Structure formats: C-alpha cells, structure tokens
Amino acid sequence: MTRLIALVAGILFGFGLAFSGMTDTHKVLGFLSIFHDWDYDLTFVMGGALIITTLTFQWTMKHGETLLGGNLHLPSACDLDPKLVSGAILFGVGWGLFGYCPGPALTALIYLEPQTVVFVVSMLIGILAHDFFATLSKQSQ
Amino acid sequence: MEASTMNALYGGLIIGLSATLLFALAGRIAGISGIVTAAIKPGSDRAWRWLFIVGLLLGGFAYHYFSGAPAPQLARQSYWLAIAGGLIVGIGVRRGSGCTSGHGVCGIARFSKRSIVSTVVFMGAGIVTATLVNILLGAF
C-alpha cells in the first residue's frame, strides 16, 4: 500500500513542481534575486503548500497514527546544532548557484538538458560523499 | 493576480496535497533529499522511495503533456555551476538533514524549530549566492 501511495504522491509532487515554476531556473533565480527585479511568484509555492500541510500534519500528529492505522515516521532530532545551520548554508549556496533544489532537479531530468543531468549526478555524489565521510569520522571517534 | 502567480499557488497546493497523502496515509515525510539518500544507499524499504522518485518525473511529464507548456530553458548554462551547485547541494542537504520539501513544506507544518531555522538560513544563503552570481557573471 505504501508503494502505491508513494507513486501517487510522487506524481502529484512532480506535477505541482512543474506547474508552480520550480523546475524553471529563471523563476527560481528570479525569486532568489530579491535585489534585482524580484520575481515573487514562488513565495506562493511554499505558501500554498503550507496552507494545506500545516492543517493536515497538525491533525495527523494529534491523531497519533496514519488514517490506515500505521506508524508515523517522524525525525527524532529536535535540538538546534551547528551542523543544521552550516548544512542549510551550503544547501542554499548550491541552490543559488544553479537554481535547483533536489526535487525540481529530479523532475527537470525530463527536459533532457545535459547540465541538469550533470547537476543531479553531482548532487548524488555529494550526498554519498557526505555520508561516507560522516561514517568515517564517527568510526574514528 | 497574474497567471504565473496563480500557477505558483496551484502548484503549491498540489505539493501540499502530495505531502499530505504521504504523511496521513503512509506516515512518511515528503522530504526529497531523505528519500533520495535512502533510495541510493543499501538498506531496506527502498521500493516506495524509488516509486516516489519515478512519480516525480512522471508528474512533471504529465504537467507538460496536458498543459502544453514548453520545457523551460536553463538560466545558467555553465557545466561548472552545475557541478559545483550539485555537489554543494548534496553535501548541504545531508549535513543539514533536509531541503526545501522536508524542512520547508513538512517541517514547518510540524512547527519544528530545526526546520524553521533551516528554511530561513537556506533561503538567506540562496538569496546572497544568487545575488553574488548576478554581480559576477551578469544577470541571467
């Protein structure tokens, strides 16, 4: 059942990303360029999504389980730490360089632009490299 | 409101609906970087994650197929920016435990302090970076 739900949710998510303009790096970089002819459209993407998720997530968490009676898988970390902030800085820098965050980059693979493929492969290498070195440094402690 | 603004709103609402489905029915957070990481590393429970990723591509294709909207051109054509951007995004989302979807759309909805801080910081870093690139390379 989780697989079917994930496929449907993925299709909706990708549809929403392309619909909203998040897969268009002109829109994304225009949104991030607040000092240069700011394109504010994309504020409505997170805004629109949050109108719905704030209601449904709060309700589901109060309910304590999924509508099908399954467990809610929630992140365990709740404290602020330097890694969270430095990670967010790095992510923001990479986002501002090319104009894609992870979801839109994956959806944009359908446009078959070689630079986008290079971006996604580099992102996967970055993910694996981070986790490899994080495991190494944990083992050496 | 302009059509592009309405599109952003409709797209956002659909993304919210997607995250709701995954959370309320499957108990999972629609955080793309977390889903991708667990999909490409050895481990269990990978099938639903791969199906979600396949859905991301199918959904984008469906939008362009039904709307007839042309594929957008890239604002920055440089391969160096693509490599640097991709690597830094990959390292950053792992170090910071999430990206725009997991922290921005799902975490803020859970009133997670970490997600609110993360979203403010990555937005700020994105704005500074895009602005600096505009100054150095010229507007796109």
Side-chain angles (χ1 to χ4, degrees):
Chain A
M1 196 59 187
T2 299
R3 293 177 186 183
L4 179 66
I5 296 163
L7 178 64
V8 174
I11 291 172
L12 280 174
F13 208 107
F15 191 97
L17 285 173
F19 197 165
S20 65
M22 289 292 292
T23 59
D24 182 349
T25 51
H26 283 96
K27 295 292 290 181
V28 178
L29 294 178
F31 165 70
L32 292 175
S33 304
I34 57 172
F35 305 109
H36 179 92
D37 198 14
W38 188 40
D39 179 349
Y40 59 81
D41 283 348
L42 297 190
T43 49
F44 287 84
V45 184
M46 196 180 281
L50 278 173
I51 290 171
I52 295 193
T53 52
T54 303
L55 293 172
T56 58
F57 276 55
Q58 289 299 324
W59 185 87
T60 306
M61 286 195 301
K62 217 169 273 172
H63 187 61
E65 57 180 17
T66 71
L67 291 175
L68 305 175
N71 290 329
L72 300 178
H73 301 266
L74 292 171
S76 49
C78 52
D79 293 327
L80 300 176
D81 58 68
K83 258 179 65 186
L84 176 84
V85 176
S86 56
I89 291 174
L90 285 172
F91 165 44
V93 168
W95 191 27
L97 280 180
F98 193 64
Y100 279 142
C101 51
L106 291 169
T107 299
L109 286 173
I110 62 169
Y111 305 138
L112 303 175
E113 295 277 4
Q115 290 94 330
T116 302
V117 177
V118 167
F119 178 91
V120 169
V121 171
S122 305
M123 179 176 84
L124 298 180
I125 292 171
I127 286 174
L128 293 173
H130 171 275
D131 285 18
F132 177 74
F133 288 112
T135 315
L136 269 191
S137 71
K138 224 177 250 170
Q139 280 167 352
S140 66
Q141 273 169 9
Chain B
M1 272 200 280
E2 282 184 55
S4 60
T5 312
M6 292 309 293
N7 286 357
L9 178 62
Y10 293 144
L13 293 171
I14 294 170
I15 290 167
L17 182 65
S18 159
T20 296
L21 276 182
L22 200 62
F23 189 58
L25 295 181
R28 295 289 181 173
I29 300 285
I32 312 284
S33 55
I35 289 175
V36 168
T37 304
I40 59 173
K41 285 171 67 171
S44 59
D45 244 2
R46 292 164 74 189
W48 74 266
R49 295 183 165 97
W50 274 107
L51 286 165
F52 185 89
I53 294 167
V54 168
L56 280 180
L57 276 72
L58 287 177
F61 185 83
Y63 168 72
H64 288 282
Y65 183 82
F66 291 116
S67 71
Q73 302 293 306
L74 288 170
R76 299 282 180 203
Q77 305 280 341
S78 156
Y79 280 91
W80 292 112
L81 283 180
I83 293 170
L87 281 175
I88 298 172
V89 164
I91 295 166
V93 293
R94 289 307 290 157
R95 192 170 172 80
S97 313
C99 57
T100 334
S101 48
H103 280 312
V105 173
C106 300
I108 292 180
R110 295 191 297 113
F111 303 152
S112 153
K113 195 169 60 177
R114 281 171 60 86
S115 292
I116 294 167
V117 168
S118 166
T119 305
V120 170
V121 171
F122 71 65
M123 287 277 181
I127 288 167
V128 169
T129 306
T131 303
L132 287 177
V133 177
N134 287 340
I135 293 169
L136 293 172
L137 298 182
F140 47 88

